[in-house]
Amino acid sequence: MKELNDIINAFDKANAAGKQTALATVVLVEGSSYRRAGARMLVTEDGQLTGAISGGCLEGDALRKARLAMAQSKPMLVTYDTTDDDDAKFGVGLGCNGIIHILIEPIFPAKENSPIALFKQFLSKREPVVLITMFSLADRQAPQPGTCLLMKADESTQGSIVDEEIKDAVLADAMDVLKNGNSVTKTYVYGNGYTCFIELLQPAVSLVIFGAGNDAIPVVQFASVLGWHVTMVDGRANYAVPERFPQVKKIVIAKPDKALANIVLDDRTAMILMTHNYNYDMAMLRQLLTLKLPYVASLGPKKRLQRMLDELKEEGINVANDQLESIFGPAGIDIGSENSDEIALSIIAEIQAVLNKKAVNSLRDKQAVHTRHIKPVMQQTATAEEGKN
């Protein structure tokens, strides 16, 4: 959700300066493209761009279209067809072999349910929502309603569907997206024939790091780049300080039994045990196993984690298979990591993959992590007589 945060911040600055703005949203992709539906970019009247709708090839033309939309004070649907090999004739040179539909809508700050207002509503609470963007593919000259409604899991809504004939069907489809977790684009043939991009928005990843050692610094930095919310937990007050971790949202100084007291946990929460203190990590693992989190990582060798699990078994704690599936140790994917920066990258990549339900080559699935194939070298020692020659 970093892109949405950046867009909101850019809008607030532009609005304070009295600048007009427009929002460009990729609402439908046919074929391949650099960005998928849901990619967004805020454009100001003086040409400042925040976010991205492509790899850089569409932005210039979209800027010109956005200025026109702002001048006309109405949304417009723009289509870039790159299925023709000679796509350079469009002046964008995409080479993506796809058709990209982009909705450009001027932002009116006084409008109660403007796209920015809906974004802010979503970001105000940590819960998934569905955002509905309406447009007319059949008639680009027809009114383009744009980003119009936000629905929460309790079925409460903010905004409205302008076409009453399709309202019930759209809201039913929105609830289905919330339950199944997949955004869809659907055209409703009755009513005014609008197409709706029904988009699932998930809260930012919440990353809880146990351990404020130096190797946690690059983990925090990578997570911050992605816009994740990072909480740092450690029992050592002189280690877990803002000066060492300026990008951390929350620092908790606590012993294991108090560590989780003020941390909100959900299905977008990932945990990393990296205190390098066996007893602390063990105490935390004992608690985390019962929480059914999607990702719990243990830094260090596989035998260290196995020892913890064996001890839990001796205590009478039965670790079920579904619990084991969410425990990753050694942490990270297999990219040949050696130093702390590379290890941090592999862990962050693994979390991203697990939360997105993508298969990766995790280190926990390897028999041995650090293996070396050393070619034997035959050494010959010269005799004293040979040395004289």
Side-chain angles (χ1 to χ4, degrees), residues 45-302:
E45 60 180 277
D46 59 352
Q48 295 182 30
L49 308 177
T50 303
I53 53 174
S54 74
C57 40
L58 285 183
E59 277 68 7
D61 191 70
L63 170 59
R64 291 188 289 272
K65 298 293 195 306
R67 282 173 168 160
L68 178 60
M70 285 185 272
Q72 296 178 343
S73 294
K74 66 177 184 180
M76 66 168 62
L77 186 67
V78 181
T79 298
Y80 297 94
D81 186 348
T82 67
T83 55
D84 190 332
D85 290 336
D86 189 21
D87 62 359
K89 65 186 179 183
F90 292 101
V92 293
L94 289 172
C96 293
N97 198 32
I99 302 173
I100 303 102
H101 303 274
I102 297 173
L103 183 70
I104 301 175
E105 45 190 326
I107 304 298
F108 304 106
K111 184 179 178 182
E112 182 180 3
N113 294 313
S114 71
I116 298 297
L118 297 180
F119 295 162
K120 288 182 176 180
Q121 175 64 24
F122 160 59
L123 293 172
S124 67
K125 293 184 179 180
R126 188 172 173 79
E127 60 183 17
V129 302
V130 164
L131 190 68
I132 296 173
T133 303
M134 298 181 65
F135 52 99
S136 177
L137 273 177
D139 183 4
R140 284 169 172 72
Q141 302 306 313
Q144 304 289 344
T147 309
C148 60
L149 185 137
L150 179 145
M151 174 182 274
K152 299 180 181 179
D154 62 3
E155 298 190 40
S156 63
T157 60
Q158 181 174 336
S160 61
I161 302 295
V162 298
D163 190 338
E164 285 294 328
E165 290 189 55
I166 67 172
K167 179 179 178 180
D168 290 342
V170 173
L171 294 180
D173 288 335
M175 280 306 301
D176 188 60
V177 166
L178 265 173
K179 291 177 182 178
N180 296 325
N182 294 315
S183 301
V184 299
T185 300
K186 185 173 181 179
T187 298
Y188 299 84
V189 295
Y190 47 98
N192 292 311
Y194 282 117
T195 299
C196 292
F197 174 41
I198 307 174
E199 178 186 12
L200 178 68
L201 297 180
Q202 294 273 25
V205 175
S206 173
L207 177 62
V208 183
I209 301 174
F210 295 91
N214 289 340
D215 54 350
I217 293 175
V219 178
V220 172
Q221 291 172 337
F222 280 123
S224 178
V225 169
L226 296 173
W228 295 3
H229 295 173
V230 182
T231 299
M232 175 69 65
V233 184
D234 202 298
R236 303 165 294 181
N238 60 324
Y239 274 67
V241 294
E243 291 76 16
R244 296 185 70 229
F245 299 97
Q247 295 140 322
V248 167
K249 298 284 185 181
K250 184 177 183 179
I251 293 178
V252 177
I253 306 299
K255 293 181 179 180
D257 59 332
K258 304 292 184 182
L260 299 178
N262 297 309
I263 299 176
V264 177
L265 307 176
D266 56 31
D267 60 2
R268 298 279 290 171
T269 301
M271 301 275 192
I272 306 176
L273 303 176
M274 52 189 307
T275 66
H276 301 288
N277 181 312
Y278 181 86
N279 292 329
Y280 197 111
D281 286 354
M282 177 67 182
M284 290 312 311
L285 182 62
R286 186 182 292 109
Q287 299 176 66
L288 297 178
L289 279 174
T290 64
L291 301 178
K292 296 183 179 180
L293 297 169
Y295 183 90
V296 177
S298 172
L299 210 69
K302 183 178 292 188

